[in-house]
Amino acid sequence: MSLRERKKAQTRLLIADIAMGLFAERGFDGVTVAEVARAADVSVNTVFNYFPTKEDLFFDREAEVEDSLAAVVRARRPGESVIGALRRWVVEGFDTDLWATGLWPEAADFFRLVDDSPSLRARTRELGERTENALARTLATETGAGPDDPMPSLVAGLVAGSRHAVLAEARRRLLAGEPFDVVKTWARDAYQRAFDLLENGVPRNYGVTEVR
């Protein structure tokens, strides 16, 4: 990376960090882009050069999130299945409080900011869809699936749905005041069960009631 590129990256990070500090203090909707620019000692145009929208300031690592699951698949070990690689990434990420798993020590503050802003809630849903689509495209490429093969989209949908279910409940628990470590332990176990289902399928007798 050249000196110019390093300086641009530093400026981008500075603006994003200052913006997040203001958002945490006053809420996303309570801060303007002009206020972020003043606090970062740059022009409003400079902010928009790095972040086309105000939501981009909040989700400054959006590209990394969008590619997160797909990147795990591309980097899987020789002989390792897609689900095996994703399971390992989640478990190891939980052990190290990796933010990209969607659950980290400061997650509750992040969730509150999102919940308080309609535009951030909408952007979160959009990001989830893009992450799922990126995973589906990567699965199609990695497995050589044809254009009419539904398997990449089906697997991506199952993975994304499982992730959403676990994180939605973890989010609810955190915002209800449960300790982070307790929620993380629950989520880790829930993910393990989710990956068991993805690898082995839902038991045939799940939900079957006894004949009376």
Side-chain angles (χ1 to χ4, degrees):
M1 183 182 294
S2 68
L3 177 61
R4 182 171 181 272
E5 290 172 332
R6 286 199 302 273
K7 287 185 176 180
K8 289 180 65 176
Q10 290 170 355
T11 299
R12 186 182 190 280
L13 181 60
L14 173 66
I15 294 171
D17 285 348
I18 287 175
M20 188 57 73
L22 291 173
F23 296 151
E25 181 182 341
R26 292 158 48 194
F28 179 77
D29 293 332
V31 177
T32 67
V33 174
E35 289 172 323
V36 172
R38 283 198 298 272
D41 197 23
V42 298
S43 69
V44 171
N45 284 341
T46 296
V47 174
F48 282 124
N49 284 338
Y50 287 97
F51 304 96
T53 70
K54 183 181 170 185
E55 287 75 19
D56 291 325
L57 274 168
F58 188 86
F59 294 105
D60 64 299
R61 302 179 76 172
E62 189 174 60
E64 188 176 344
V65 172
E66 182 178 337
D67 191 53
S68 58
L69 300 181
V72 173
V73 171
R74 292 193 300 270
R76 68 192 184 282
R77 297 167 179 171
E80 187 174 40
S81 70
V82 166
I83 301 303
L86 290 167
R87 182 199 293 266
R88 176 173 54 80
W89 177 74
V90 168
V91 171
E92 291 178 355
F94 272 29
D95 289 342
T96 59
D97 290 333
L98 177 66
W99 68 270
T101 62
L103 195 62
W104 69 102
E106 295 78 27
D109 295 332
F110 182 89
F111 294 153
R112 289 190 188 93
L113 284 169
V114 172
D115 284 354
D116 288 340
S117 172
S119 65
L120 292 183
R121 293 198 301 272
R123 188 65 167 263
T124 299
R125 290 191 295 271
E126 178 189 328
L127 180 55
E129 292 173 359
R130 296 208 312 266
T131 302
E132 179 181 339
N133 292 336
L135 176 59
R137 290 193 300 270
T138 295
L139 290 173
T141 299
E142 292 289 309
T143 62
D148 295 328
D149 188 345
M151 188 61 75
S153 293
L154 291 173
V155 173
L158 290 169
V159 170
S162 298
R163 187 176 194 233
H164 174 75
V166 173
L167 290 180
E169 177 60 11
R171 178 190 194 125
R172 185 193 68 78
R173 290 173 178 242
L174 280 176
L175 295 181
E178 289 191 34
F180 173 76
D181 288 342
V182 172
V183 175
K184 184 172 76 169
T185 297
W186 174 87
R188 193 177 190 277
D189 179 66
Y191 260 126
Q192 292 282 26
R193 295 180 67 180
F195 285 124
D196 286 344
L197 288 175
L198 290 171
E199 288 182 327
N200 304 311
V202 178
R204 294 184 62 184
N205 64 345
Y206 179 73
V208 174
T209 57
E210 295 183 4
V211 177
R212 299 179 179 177

